[in-house]
Amino acid sequence: MGSRTKGVGRDGIIVALMAALTESHLQMLANPGAYPASVKHPHDGVGQDFDSLGLFQMRPASGWGSVKQLMRPKYQAAAFFGGPGGPNDGSPRGLLDIDGWKDLHPGEAAQAVEVSAYPDRYAQYKPVAHAVLERLTPARDR
């Protein structure tokens, strides 16, 4: 998704990986306590973080999308990246909706999208995000 989204590039993919690693360890998490219907959609496990769902632990109540939408990884990635082609029209803000995101530390950029109560958690996953991207990127594209 990120490699096909104009303006994201490798730096944006690193930010997204850092966020998803922090929020869900790259798992699509249902949340049956808040949204019983979420377990009817494909998922990798169950999370109980308030009313958050999926890879990026997005909240329907915050305007990220419906339960059905947020239980789709492609939708979550599109919402995380945002921008002109994003599904939320800038609210909530995706990465591409944040002026100067490329000038921020990747952890700060992830926090700018996620607006977490624990903003320092994202930075610890930078080496892992780089390793994941390196592993998944064909040599010709590095």
Side-chain angles (χ1 to χ4, degrees):
M1 180 77 208
S3 64
R4 288 181 249 134
T5 302
K6 185 179 179 182
V8 171
R10 289 181 69 85
D11 291 341
I13 294 170
I14 291 295
V15 172
L17 284 169
M18 289 169 65
L21 283 159
T22 302
E23 298 295 338
S24 70
H25 299 285
L26 289 178
Q27 296 180 81
M28 178 53 75
L29 298 177
N31 186 336
Y35 302 103
S38 65
V39 296
K40 295 178 183 176
H41 300 278
H43 61 283
D44 301 313
V46 171
Q48 299 293 330
D49 186 17
F50 301 103
D51 62 345
S52 300
L53 297 166
L55 295 164
F56 296 102
Q57 290 294 280
M58 292 175 166
R59 302 172 75 185
S62 295
W64 285 107
S66 69
V67 171
K68 182 178 179 179
Q69 290 169 321
L70 292 174
M71 290 305 295
R72 295 192 334 252
K74 284 185 179 181
Y75 178 89
Q76 278 223 354
F80 182 87
F81 291 126
N88 296 323
D89 199 27
S91 181
R93 296 184 315 168
L95 185 65
L96 296 175
D97 300 312
I98 298 165
D99 290 333
W101 72 267
K102 290 182 180 182
D103 298 326
L104 298 173
H105 180 279
E108 292 172 337
Q111 168 62 12
V113 176
E114 293 288 330
V115 192
S116 170
Y118 306 99
D120 298 329
R121 296 183 310 156
Y122 301 103
Q124 69 182 338
Y125 284 102
K126 186 177 179 185
V128 179
H130 277 282
V132 168
L133 184 57
E134 188 72 19
R135 180 81 170 144
L136 296 176
T137 304
R140 70 179 184 283
D141 295 337
R142 291 186 194 149

